[in-house]
Amino acid sequence: MRLRFFLSLGALLAATATAHAHDYQLGELHIGQPFARPSVPGQTSGAAYLSIENRGKTGDKLIGAASPAARAVEIHTMSMEGNLMKMREAGEVAIAPSQKIVMQPGQGYHLMLLGLKQPLKAGDKLPLTLNFEKAGKTEVSVLVQDKDARAATMQEAGANQGQQQGMHHGH
Ligand SMILES: [Cu+2]
């Protein structure tokens, strides 16, 4: 019984790792695992997350993004101010040499998808064009996925979902 549990857990983890392994290289920039969460009914905005690692010797900046799935994509940042999670438009993300930016729900940067053309459902893939100041543009595929073990971090558990969504209505 116990052995079978470990075996099936191992198989599940292997399958999960394979399914999520979609990374992109643009010059010296390594872009990892773009994903978004399913939208809740009535919600016309969503957020996409990915990681950007600068493996080069010069800094670069993410200065914009666009997707046919949304009216506009903005670069936002979230931070705790007292007990409140505040979101604001950052406009750009600077990535210094050797720096890795990891976007994740609940804190730091995210790519705000404004005016979704249709709800985001688990399993969907959205094309997203990233525009970097030096490296130029590249298109990545954003996978819509439910919360999983990888993303269910302490930060996300600690974030107040209601307040975040309340902020998004402001758009
Ligand atoms: Cu936002």
PDB file of all heavy atoms in Angstrom, residues 9 11 14 16 28 30 41 59-60 65 83 91 94 98 104 130 134 143-144 150 157 162 170:
ATOM      1  N   LEU A   9       2.895   8.695  -6.671  1.00  0.00           N
ATOM      2  CA  LEU A   9       3.293  10.081  -6.452  1.00  0.00           C
ATOM      3  C   LEU A   9       4.474  10.426  -7.359  1.00  0.00           C
ATOM      4  O   LEU A   9       4.515  11.473  -7.992  1.00  0.00           O
ATOM      5  CB  LEU A   9       3.672  10.297  -4.982  1.00  0.00           C
ATOM      6  CG  LEU A   9       4.021  11.728  -4.615  1.00  0.00           C
ATOM      7  CD1 LEU A   9       2.814  12.634  -4.784  1.00  0.00           C
ATOM      8  CD2 LEU A   9       4.550  11.803  -3.189  1.00  0.00           C
ATOM      9  N   ALA A  11       5.274   9.078 -10.228  1.00  0.00           N
ATOM     10  CA  ALA A  11       4.812   9.162 -11.615  1.00  0.00           C
ATOM     11  C   ALA A  11       4.105  10.486 -11.854  1.00  0.00           C
ATOM     12  O   ALA A  11       4.288  11.137 -12.879  1.00  0.00           O
ATOM     13  CB  ALA A  11       3.864   7.998 -11.917  1.00  0.00           C
ATOM     14  N   ALA A  14       6.660  13.318 -12.077  1.00  0.00           N
ATOM     15  CA  ALA A  14       7.387  13.269 -13.351  1.00  0.00           C
ATOM     16  C   ALA A  14       6.517  13.843 -14.462  1.00  0.00           C
ATOM     17  O   ALA A  14       6.969  14.633 -15.283  1.00  0.00           O
ATOM     18  CB  ALA A  14       7.793  11.837 -13.673  1.00  0.00           C
ATOM     19  N   THR A  16       4.039  15.948 -14.148  1.00  0.00           N
ATOM     20  CA  THR A  16       3.861  17.378 -13.912  1.00  0.00           C
ATOM     21  C   THR A  16       5.074  18.151 -14.412  1.00  0.00           C
ATOM     22  O   THR A  16       4.939  19.152 -15.092  1.00  0.00           O
ATOM     23  CB  THR A  16       3.663  17.646 -12.404  1.00  0.00           C
ATOM     24  OG1 THR A  16       2.562  16.867 -11.967  1.00  0.00           O
ATOM     25  CG2 THR A  16       3.365  19.094 -12.151  1.00  0.00           C
ATOM     26  N   GLU A  28      20.561  36.489 -24.538  1.00  0.00           N
ATOM     27  CA  GLU A  28      21.102  36.028 -23.255  1.00  0.00           C
ATOM     28  C   GLU A  28      20.001  35.851 -22.208  1.00  0.00           C
ATOM     29  O   GLU A  28      20.289  35.543 -21.061  1.00  0.00           O
ATOM     30  CB  GLU A  28      22.118  37.053 -22.721  1.00  0.00           C
ATOM     31  CG  GLU A  28      23.267  37.359 -23.665  1.00  0.00           C
ATOM     32  CD  GLU A  28      24.271  36.209 -23.733  1.00  0.00           C
ATOM     33  OE1 GLU A  28      24.106  35.235 -22.980  1.00  0.00           O
ATOM     34  OE2 GLU A  28      25.202  36.291 -24.555  1.00  0.00           O
ATOM     35  N   HIS A  30      16.795  34.054 -20.541  1.00  0.00           N
ATOM     36  CA  HIS A  30      16.132  32.758 -20.450  1.00  0.00           C
ATOM     37  C   HIS A  30      14.769  32.991 -19.813  1.00  0.00           C
ATOM     38  O   HIS A  30      14.682  33.494 -18.697  1.00  0.00           O
ATOM     39  CB  HIS A  30      16.987  31.817 -19.599  1.00  0.00           C
ATOM     40  CG  HIS A  30      16.477  30.418 -19.587  1.00  0.00           C
ATOM     41  ND1 HIS A  30      16.731  29.526 -20.602  1.00  0.00           N
ATOM     42  CD2 HIS A  30      15.710  29.769 -18.688  1.00  0.00           C
ATOM     43  CE1 HIS A  30      16.145  28.376 -20.319  1.00  0.00           C
ATOM     44  NE2 HIS A  30      15.518  28.494 -19.169  1.00  0.00           N
ATOM     45  N   PRO A  41     -15.626  33.589 -12.758  1.00  0.00           N
ATOM     46  CA  PRO A  41     -16.722  34.129 -13.564  1.00  0.00           C
ATOM     47  C   PRO A  41     -16.926  35.634 -13.319  1.00  0.00           C
ATOM     48  O   PRO A  41     -16.894  36.087 -12.182  1.00  0.00           O
ATOM     49  CB  PRO A  41     -17.933  33.325 -13.076  1.00  0.00           C
ATOM     50  CG  PRO A  41     -17.362  32.047 -12.573  1.00  0.00           C
ATOM     51  CD  PRO A  41     -16.025  32.414 -11.985  1.00  0.00           C
ATOM     52  N   GLY A  59      22.725  44.569 -18.786  1.00  0.00           N
ATOM     53  CA  GLY A  59      21.353  44.582 -18.299  1.00  0.00           C
ATOM     54  C   GLY A  59      20.360  44.758 -19.436  1.00  0.00           C
ATOM     55  O   GLY A  59      20.699  45.255 -20.510  1.00  0.00           O
ATOM     56  N   ASP A  60      19.141  44.346 -19.206  1.00  0.00           N
ATOM     57  CA  ASP A  60      18.075  44.553 -20.183  1.00  0.00           C
ATOM     58  C   ASP A  60      16.807  44.894 -19.399  1.00  0.00           C
ATOM     59  O   ASP A  60      16.810  44.850 -18.157  1.00  0.00           O
ATOM     60  CB  ASP A  60      17.871  43.302 -21.045  1.00  0.00           C
ATOM     61  CG  ASP A  60      17.264  43.631 -22.412  1.00  0.00           C
ATOM     62  OD1 ASP A  60      16.646  44.723 -22.544  1.00  0.00           O
ATOM     63  OD2 ASP A  60      17.390  42.816 -23.342  1.00  0.00           O
ATOM     64  N   ALA A  65       4.368  44.175 -23.144  1.00  0.00           N
ATOM     65  CA  ALA A  65       3.865  42.859 -23.517  1.00  0.00           C
ATOM     66  C   ALA A  65       2.505  43.037 -24.160  1.00  0.00           C
ATOM     67  O   ALA A  65       1.833  44.052 -23.948  1.00  0.00           O
ATOM     68  CB  ALA A  65       3.769  41.948 -22.297  1.00  0.00           C
ATOM     69  N   ASN A  83      -1.076  46.039   6.190  1.00  0.00           N
ATOM     70  CA  ASN A  83      -1.800  44.783   6.014  1.00  0.00           C
ATOM     71  C   ASN A  83      -2.409  44.663   4.626  1.00  0.00           C
ATOM     72  O   ASN A  83      -3.088  43.691   4.335  1.00  0.00           O
ATOM     73  CB  ASN A  83      -2.935  44.671   7.044  1.00  0.00           C
ATOM     74  CG  ASN A  83      -2.375  44.466   8.445  1.00  0.00           C
ATOM     75  OD1 ASN A  83      -1.320  43.863   8.606  1.00  0.00           O
ATOM     76  ND2 ASN A  83      -3.064  44.986   9.434  1.00  0.00           N
ATOM     77  N   GLY A  91       5.404  49.517 -15.315  1.00  0.00           N
ATOM     78  CA  GLY A  91       5.868  50.032 -16.601  1.00  0.00           C
ATOM     79  C   GLY A  91       6.987  49.219 -17.221  1.00  0.00           C
ATOM     80  O   GLY A  91       7.017  49.014 -18.419  1.00  0.00           O
ATOM     81  N   ALA A  94      13.435  45.793 -14.890  1.00  0.00           N
ATOM     82  CA  ALA A  94      14.870  45.774 -15.191  1.00  0.00           C
ATOM     83  C   ALA A  94      15.451  44.435 -14.746  1.00  0.00           C
ATOM     84  O   ALA A  94      15.117  43.933 -13.681  1.00  0.00           O
ATOM     85  CB  ALA A  94      15.560  46.924 -14.475  1.00  0.00           C
ATOM     86  N   SER A  98      23.062  38.484 -14.581  1.00  0.00           N
ATOM     87  CA  SER A  98      23.017  37.398 -13.586  1.00  0.00           C
ATOM     88  C   SER A  98      21.775  37.422 -12.704  1.00  0.00           C
ATOM     89  O   SER A  98      21.616  36.586 -11.823  1.00  0.00           O
ATOM     90  CB  SER A  98      24.251  37.384 -12.678  1.00  0.00           C
ATOM     91  OG  SER A  98      25.402  37.273 -13.465  1.00  0.00           O
ATOM     92  N   GLN A 104       5.361  35.597  -9.507  1.00  0.00           N
ATOM     93  CA  GLN A 104       4.506  34.586  -8.905  1.00  0.00           C
ATOM     94  C   GLN A 104       3.287  35.260  -8.279  1.00  0.00           C
ATOM     95  O   GLN A 104       3.340  36.441  -7.937  1.00  0.00           O
ATOM     96  CB  GLN A 104       5.273  33.783  -7.864  1.00  0.00           C
ATOM     97  CG  GLN A 104       5.855  34.643  -6.768  1.00  0.00           C
ATOM     98  CD  GLN A 104       6.828  33.886  -5.872  1.00  0.00           C
ATOM     99  OE1 GLN A 104       6.675  32.698  -5.684  1.00  0.00           O
ATOM    100  NE2 GLN A 104       7.797  34.576  -5.333  1.00  0.00           N
ATOM    101  N   LEU A 130       6.503  39.308 -25.633  1.00  0.00           N
ATOM    102  CA  LEU A 130       7.284  40.095 -24.674  1.00  0.00           C
ATOM    103  C   LEU A 130       8.206  41.013 -25.459  1.00  0.00           C
ATOM    104  O   LEU A 130       8.808  40.602 -26.445  1.00  0.00           O
ATOM    105  CB  LEU A 130       8.129  39.173 -23.790  1.00  0.00           C
ATOM    106  CG  LEU A 130       7.350  38.123 -22.992  1.00  0.00           C
ATOM    107  CD1 LEU A 130       8.324  37.147 -22.332  1.00  0.00           C
ATOM    108  CD2 LEU A 130       6.456  38.788 -21.955  1.00  0.00           C
ATOM    109  N   LYS A 134      16.540  45.710 -25.197  1.00  0.00           N
ATOM    110  CA  LYS A 134      17.692  45.364 -26.029  1.00  0.00           C
ATOM    111  C   LYS A 134      17.486  44.080 -26.830  1.00  0.00           C
ATOM    112  O   LYS A 134      17.833  44.021 -28.003  1.00  0.00           O
ATOM    113  CB  LYS A 134      18.937  45.199 -25.160  1.00  0.00           C
ATOM    114  CG  LYS A 134      19.342  46.490 -24.452  1.00  0.00           C
ATOM    115  CD  LYS A 134      20.801  46.464 -24.047  1.00  0.00           C
ATOM    116  CE  LYS A 134      21.234  47.761 -23.367  1.00  0.00           C
ATOM    117  NZ  LYS A 134      21.028  47.734 -21.918  1.00  0.00           N
ATOM    118  N   LEU A 143       0.503  29.012 -20.274  1.00  0.00           N
ATOM    119  CA  LEU A 143      -0.382  27.892 -19.944  1.00  0.00           C
ATOM    120  C   LEU A 143      -1.272  28.275 -18.767  1.00  0.00           C
ATOM    121  O   LEU A 143      -0.793  28.714 -17.728  1.00  0.00           O
ATOM    122  CB  LEU A 143       0.471  26.672 -19.594  1.00  0.00           C
ATOM    123  CG  LEU A 143      -0.304  25.423 -19.149  1.00  0.00           C
ATOM    124  CD1 LEU A 143      -1.180  24.884 -20.275  1.00  0.00           C
ATOM    125  CD2 LEU A 143       0.663  24.345 -18.684  1.00  0.00           C
ATOM    126  N   VAL A 144      -2.575  28.121 -18.955  1.00  0.00           N
ATOM    127  CA  VAL A 144      -3.501  28.379 -17.851  1.00  0.00           C
ATOM    128  C   VAL A 144      -3.587  27.117 -17.007  1.00  0.00           C
ATOM    129  O   VAL A 144      -3.898  26.043 -17.520  1.00  0.00           O
ATOM    130  CB  VAL A 144      -4.898  28.761 -18.377  1.00  0.00           C
ATOM    131  CG1 VAL A 144      -5.839  29.042 -17.203  1.00  0.00           C
ATOM    132  CG2 VAL A 144      -4.806  29.974 -19.287  1.00  0.00           C
ATOM    133  N   ARG A 150       3.663  23.329  -7.075  1.00  0.00           N
ATOM    134  CA  ARG A 150       4.780  24.237  -7.300  1.00  0.00           C
ATOM    135  C   ARG A 150       4.408  25.669  -6.921  1.00  0.00           C
ATOM    136  O   ARG A 150       5.197  26.410  -6.358  1.00  0.00           O
ATOM    137  CB  ARG A 150       5.178  24.188  -8.780  1.00  0.00           C
ATOM    138  CG  ARG A 150       6.291  25.150  -9.144  1.00  0.00           C
ATOM    139  CD  ARG A 150       6.696  24.957 -10.598  1.00  0.00           C
ATOM    140  NE  ARG A 150       5.628  25.296 -11.519  1.00  0.00           N
ATOM    141  CZ  ARG A 150       5.357  26.538 -11.906  1.00  0.00           C
ATOM    142  NH1 ARG A 150       6.062  27.533 -11.438  1.00  0.00           N
ATOM    143  NH2 ARG A 150       4.384  26.769 -12.742  1.00  0.00           N
ATOM    144  N   ALA A 157      -0.469  31.667  -0.174  1.00  0.00           N
ATOM    145  CA  ALA A 157      -1.424  31.365   0.887  1.00  0.00           C
ATOM    146  C   ALA A 157      -1.636  32.602   1.755  1.00  0.00           C
ATOM    147  O   ALA A 157      -2.729  32.838   2.259  1.00  0.00           O
ATOM    148  CB  ALA A 157      -0.909  30.206   1.733  1.00  0.00           C
ATOM    149  N   GLY A 162      -9.173  38.351  -1.945  1.00  0.00           N
ATOM    150  CA  GLY A 162     -10.274  39.293  -2.094  1.00  0.00           C
ATOM    151  C   GLY A 162      -9.767  40.692  -2.358  1.00  0.00           C
ATOM    152  O   GLY A 162     -10.264  41.383  -3.240  1.00  0.00           O
ATOM    153  N   GLY A 170     -10.474  47.934 -10.360  1.00  0.00           N
ATOM    154  CA  GLY A 170     -10.165  49.333 -10.615  1.00  0.00           C
ATOM    155  C   GLY A 170      -9.791  49.602 -12.057  1.00  0.00           C
ATOM    156  O   GLY A 170      -9.880  50.706 -12.538  1.00  0.00           O
TER     157      GLY A 170
END
